[in-house]
């Protein structure tokens, strides 16, 4: 079945540095990918929609200069957390459709970011 | 605007007992409804979904959910749970027709005890 791979699974970085998270669709092309953030013991919040070849669409309240999204190919979207701070520590999850709009949404296994 | 409420944050239950995880939604437009399961430190896996047609939908591992438009609910049920069903369960509704943009409930931790 369709698989979405996310890397790294865990990352620890120092405050002020930047971290890049990759999301790949392994056996299908994804013109659109979605990035979610999950705080401990809370639900997932949609951060942005990543569109291949164009700018990402950010949800209200999400800083686009803080969370840089690049969707350079049909199988790869990256999320870069710039100048990370401890409050950015969270679980970040990407997802993508394997086909049309009504096809299942496949999620990556997530990236646990800890900023010290 | 759309929202999803999962009424129970934790549901402890003994193995082989029935379980119901409650989900209510609010929306001014037609919605698509989903249940996802999340195991520790993993992404989400689709359990089942309602897009249209029969209001009772089933998963391959024995879960079922019924879309009730009048009560704006989409409760998840299983007649007999296993230890392996222990996980976090999320109810979600799509933002309009784009089923990739989901609004999630707060999640319910199902704890199955031996």
């Amino acid at each position: 079945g369709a698989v979405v791979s996310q890397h790294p699974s865990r990352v620890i970085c120092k405050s002020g540095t930047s971290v890049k998270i990759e999301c790949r669709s392994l056996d299908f092309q994804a013109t659109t990918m979605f990035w979610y953030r999950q705080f401990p013991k809370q639900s997932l919040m949609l951060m942005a929609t990543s569109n291949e070849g164009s700018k990402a669409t950010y949800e209200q309240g999400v800083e686009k200069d803080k969370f840089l999204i690049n969707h350079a190919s049909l199988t790869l979207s990256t999320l870069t957390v710039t100048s990370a701070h401890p409050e950015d520590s969270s679980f970040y999850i990407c997802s993508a459709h394997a086909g049309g709009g009504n096809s299942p949404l496949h999620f990556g296994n997530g990236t646990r970011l800890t900023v010290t | 605007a759309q929202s999803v409420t999962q009424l129970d944050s934790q549901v402890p239950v003994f193995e082989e007992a029935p379980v119901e995880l409650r989900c209510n939604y609010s929306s001014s437009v037609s919605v698509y409804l989903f249940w996802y399961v999340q195991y520790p430190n993993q992404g989400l896996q689709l359990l089942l979904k309602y897009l249209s047609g029969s209001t009772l939908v089933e998963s391959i591992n024995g879960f079922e959910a019924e879309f009730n438009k009048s009560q704006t609910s989409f409760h998840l049920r299983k007649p007999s749970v296993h230890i392996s069903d222990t996980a976090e369960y999320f109810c979600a509704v799509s933002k309009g027709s784009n089923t990739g943009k989901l609004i999630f409930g707060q999640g319910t931790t199902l704890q199955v005890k031996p």
Side-chain angles (χ1 to χ4, degrees):
Chain A
V3 176
V4 173
S5 174
Q6 202 170 328
H7 177 81
S9 58
R10 292 176 179 271
V11 59
I12 300 173
C13 71
K14 292 186 177 181
S15 186
T17 62
S18 296
V19 174
K20 180 183 286 188
I21 303 169
E22 294 186 348
C23 179
R24 294 180 184 274
S25 56
L26 295 186
D27 54 0
F28 65 98
Q29 293 183 333
T31 56
T32 305
M33 292 184 175
F34 304 91
W35 287 95
Y36 288 84
R37 180 175 181 176
Q38 184 180 29
F39 290 100
K41 303 296 183 182
Q42 295 187 35
S43 188
L44 288 81
M45 299 294 292
L46 178 65
M47 298 175 65
T49 303
S50 174
N51 305 298
E52 188 269 335
S54 64
K55 292 182 179 179
T57 305
Y58 290 83
E59 295 299 305
Q60 191 174 8
V62 178
E63 300 176 61
K64 61 180 181 181
D65 295 330
K66 173 77 171 173
F67 299 99
L68 300 179
I69 293 173
N70 185 281
H71 195 151
S73 77
L74 286 170
T75 59
L76 174 64
S77 174
T78 61
L79 169 68
T80 301
V81 183
T82 63
S83 187
H85 291 286
E87 56 265 33
D88 298 325
S89 298
S90 192
F91 195 54
Y92 293 87
I93 307 176
C94 70
S95 65
H97 279 301
N102 288 341
S103 62
L105 190 64
H106 297 274
F107 284 82
N109 281 342
T111 297
R112 173 76 59 191
L113 171 63
T114 303
V115 184
T116 61
Chain B
Q2 295 155 319
S3 66
V4 179
T5 302
Q6 290 181 245
L7 298 167
D8 307 297
S9 60
Q10 292 188 336
V11 174
V13 64
F14 287 105
E15 192 174 19
E16 297 183 5
V19 70
E20 178 179 79
L21 306 184
R22 296 179 292 171
C23 173
N24 287 88
Y25 69 93
S26 65
S27 176
S28 58
V29 298
S30 296
V31 295
Y32 301 141
L33 294 156
F34 306 83
W35 275 100
Y36 283 88
V37 58
Q38 183 182 34
Y39 298 100
N41 291 312
Q42 293 188 27
L44 278 71
Q45 300 173 30
L46 179 66
L47 198 56
L48 43 76
K49 62 183 178 182
Y50 170 77
L51 301 182
S52 64
S54 173
T55 57
L56 183 65
V57 290
E58 300 177 346
S59 72
I60 58 173
N61 56 354
F63 283 94
E64 64 178 30
E66 185 162 18
F67 170 55
N68 188 319
K69 188 174 182 179
S70 62
Q71 296 185 4
T72 60
S73 67
F74 192 55
H75 301 331
L76 181 70
R77 294 187 290 263
K78 188 171 185 178
S80 176
V81 294
H82 301 288
I83 295 287
S84 59
D85 292 324
T86 296
E88 189 82 11
Y89 291 80
F90 291 96
C91 181
V93 61
S94 65
K95 290 181 84 171
S97 59
N98 187 333
T99 57
K101 301 179 73 171
L102 298 173
I103 298 171
F104 286 88
Q106 301 89 329
T108 298
T109 302
L110 176 62
Q111 301 165 323
V112 181
K113 304 176 181 179

